[in-house]
Amino acid sequence: MSFDLRRLEQLIPGVIGRKQSEIIQLFQHLLCLLIIGLLIGLACLPLNLIDGIQKSLFQQLPATTGSAWRPIGLILALLPIGVMPILLLLQRGPWRDAAGSGIPQTMNALEDHSQLAPALAAPRTIQRGLLWTIATVALFPLGREGPVVHLGAAVARAIHKRFKRWLPSLNERQIVAIGGGAGLAGGFNTPLLAPIFMIEELTTEYSLTLIWPALVIGISAAWFSSVGGEPIFGLGMINVMAPESEQLLIAIPIGILAGLVGGFFNRGLIWCSSFLEPWVRQRPIRTGLLLGICLSTLALSSWGTSTGDGEGLLQLLIQEGMPNHFPDGGSISQGITSIWITLVRVLAPMIALSPGVPGGLIDPSLAFGGLLGYTFCGLVGSSTHLGLALGMAAGLAGATQLPLVSIVFAWRLVGDQQLFAGVILCSVLAAYIGRLVARKPVYHALAELQRPNRF
């Protein structure tokens, strides 16, 4: 008995020492994850502020004022004619490495480990952010998820290199993927997107060793985004209570339509990007002028609704509606007008993104999907808010073939959790239909198109 007690007395200090060491390592790990999230949120803050400037500029257009074109609105609508050639010159010259959305480049780097360092280098990251800033202030119809994903991945990698011993369970590729997802959390105040985007798009790897660090970093980045002024529900609140039977009934046609439109948007963007690549390389000024004229023409012919990332337009529809331009009570003329505005919201982002201008297609896809659902429900006499909520998720799912990302984005931006059944059904339908139209998901197709060894 005495021997056992002495043995126990000898073991206790060792056990306590190991537990203390494990606790210290756990707190170091947790602290490092929180720091990474906070720094990603801090890095995304300037892009969020620029996006806010873009929304305020959108308020100067007839789409929101309800009046005729004013001088400031005309200047904003014509800006792409001068700005697009400048962007293509920069992309063709000193900032050639910063061209492209940012997500395909991050995906290529994750696939080829040797590309991680050059792809996520600070100069390239800053240049991509500046290109996006110029395009956004000029009201180009593109989103910001490309730059924020790239930025999040770059910040996470830089911290991992500095504090690698604090994150022994995560290798460089894993922390880059987590950081990319956290960029969305910091850019859109959506913490769940960090693990979901990482799993569904960047790594296709489901592992608890990745999910809980992604959640911690995502929550931290989203919290800083919230402190920086990004609201919980960025577009407002959908105040409609529809029975599940009605949701499911409306979700079927909206899911099919949005899947078809999203699939053709996918194919059109890939085809245009491939077609324009040699033109951008050889004749950046001429190509930029032509594309700028196309963007300005669409803006002038659609009361400015084709400009900006689309969030301002969706916010207007949710909060006030646009009776002068959108269907109300089944009016044929207003229905045709709304279909035209939906069409330009598909074409304009395709024109803006295809020459490699940094940006994203999430906001544009939410916009044309929301408009499609709004138009459909307006024409059939159903709730336009229901159509808007279902259409947003379906448009994004049809274009990206990422149903989980689409559901989380739609819920977080408009707070429509009461439409659970309809949002899920239309997202899944749209993703499947989109896959039938375009066999390869859009980000993967762009990544393949933009690999350095393609030519």
Side-chain angles (χ1 to χ4, degrees):
M1 189 68 174
S2 58
F3 174 80
D4 291 341
L5 287 174
R6 286 197 300 271
R7 180 69 173 171
L8 183 61
E9 290 173 354
Q10 293 172 356
L11 289 175
I12 287 175
V15 172
I16 293 176
R18 285 195 298 271
K19 290 299 180 182
Q20 287 178 339
S21 177
E22 290 176 2
I23 292 172
I24 291 173
Q25 290 179 357
L26 177 62
F27 274 104
Q28 286 180 340
H29 196 172
L30 183 61
L31 179 61
C32 195
L33 293 175
L34 290 172
I35 291 173
I36 291 174
L38 288 174
L39 290 178
I40 289 175
L42 177 62
C44 291
L45 181 60
L47 278 67
N48 293 347
L49 295 176
I50 296 297
D51 186 68
I53 293 173
Q54 175 249 146
K55 288 185 176 66
S56 65
L57 292 175
F58 182 76
Q59 301 296 319
Q60 305 299 319
L61 300 174
T64 56
T65 63
S67 60
W69 283 97
R70 297 182 297 182
I72 181 64
L74 287 171
I75 292 172
L76 291 172
L78 296 174
L79 272 179
I81 298 175
V83 171
M84 182 65 90
I86 295 173
L87 291 174
L88 298 192
L89 274 175
L90 290 171
Q91 293 176 192
R92 175 66 181 87
W95 292 359
R96 63 171 60 88
D97 292 332
S101 161
I103 293 179
Q105 290 74 22
T106 303
M107 293 172 67
N108 283 334
L110 287 170
E111 185 174 319
D112 182 358
H113 188 271
S114 65
Q115 294 297 314
L116 278 174
L120 302 178
R124 187 177 298 189
T125 304
I126 294 171
Q127 291 166 4
R128 176 167 282 114
L130 290 174
L131 288 172
W132 174 84
T133 297
I134 296 170
T136 298
V137 173
L139 291 183
F140 277 36
L142 39 79
R144 66 185 186 277
E145 81 274 3
V148 296
V149 167
H150 184 264
L151 185 60
V155 171
R157 179 182 179 274
I159 300 175
H160 181 261
K161 298 291 286 184
R162 177 65 179 84
F163 300 102
K164 185 179 296 185
R165 65 183 181 86
W166 283 24
L167 297 169
S169 62
L170 297 174
N171 59 41
E172 185 179 35
R173 182 179 181 276
Q174 291 171 331
I175 197 65
V176 166
I178 291 173
L184 287 178
F188 294 89
N189 190 12
T190 50
L192 265 181
L193 274 179
I196 290 177
F197 187 77
M198 175 196 69
I199 293 170
E200 199 171 24
E201 186 66 20
L202 294 180
T203 66
T204 65
E205 178 183 350
Y206 182 87
S207 170
L208 289 178
T209 59
L210 293 181
I211 291 176
W212 80 262
L215 282 171
V216 173
I217 293 177
I219 290 170
S220 180
W223 175 82
F224 194 95
S225 173
S226 176
V227 172
E230 199 69 20
I232 296 178
F233 303 119
L235 301 182
M237 293 286 289
I238 294 288
N239 295 315
V240 57
M241 296 296 294
E244 286 193 357
S245 57
E246 181 182 351
Q247 293 181 36
L248 297 175
L249 185 63
I250 295 295
I252 293 173
I254 289 180
I256 293 173
L257 288 173
L260 289 171
V261 174
F264 282 112
F265 175 81
N266 179 340
R267 295 193 64 171
L269 178 58
I270 301 305
W271 182 87
C272 289
S273 298
S274 179
F275 175 79
L276 287 175
E277 195 280 332
W279 290 88
V280 172
R281 187 174 65 249
Q282 298 168 13
R283 300 180 179 84
I285 296 179
R286 293 183 186 178
T287 306
L289 282 172
L290 178 60
L291 295 176
I293 290 171
C294 291
L295 288 175
S296 293
T297 300
L298 290 177
L300 293 171
S301 64
S302 65
W303 302 276
T305 55
S306 68
T307 64
D309 59 10
E311 286 191 9
L313 182 58
L314 290 172
Q315 192 171 32
L316 189 68
L317 288 175
I318 292 170
Q319 296 179 355
E320 302 176 20
M322 293 176 64
N324 292 330
H325 304 318
F326 292 87
D328 186 13
S331 167
I332 295 178
S333 61
Q334 289 179 329
I336 293 173
T337 301
S338 185
I339 292 171
W340 164 244
I341 293 174
T342 305
L343 178 62
V344 300
R345 283 303 320 182
V346 174
L347 295 176
M350 202 181 299
I351 295 170
L353 291 168
S354 56
V357 176
L361 54 88
I362 284 181
D363 280 328
S365 301
L366 289 168
F368 71 65
L371 283 164
L372 189 66
Y374 188 100
T375 301
F376 176 82
C377 285
L379 291 174
V380 301
S382 185
S383 167
T384 52
H385 273 185
L386 174 61
L388 187 64
L390 300 185
M392 285 175 57
L396 180 56
T400 63
Q401 300 173 21
L402 300 174
L404 289 177
V405 168
S406 304
I407 292 167
V408 172
F409 245 120
W411 282 348
R412 189 64 173 177
L413 289 178
V414 298
D416 56 354
Q417 288 86 344
Q418 73 276 17
L419 304 177
F420 185 88
V423 168
I424 289 180
L425 178 59
C426 69
S427 296
V428 173
L429 271 176
Y432 271 113
I433 299 296
R435 178 65 62 90
L436 293 176
V437 177
R439 298 301 301 176
K440 190 168 292 187
V442 63
Y443 288 127
H444 290 268
L446 287 172
E448 184 177 298
L449 193 65
Q450 295 169 7
R451 282 173 190 150
N453 59 353
R454 190 174 71 90
F455 299 101

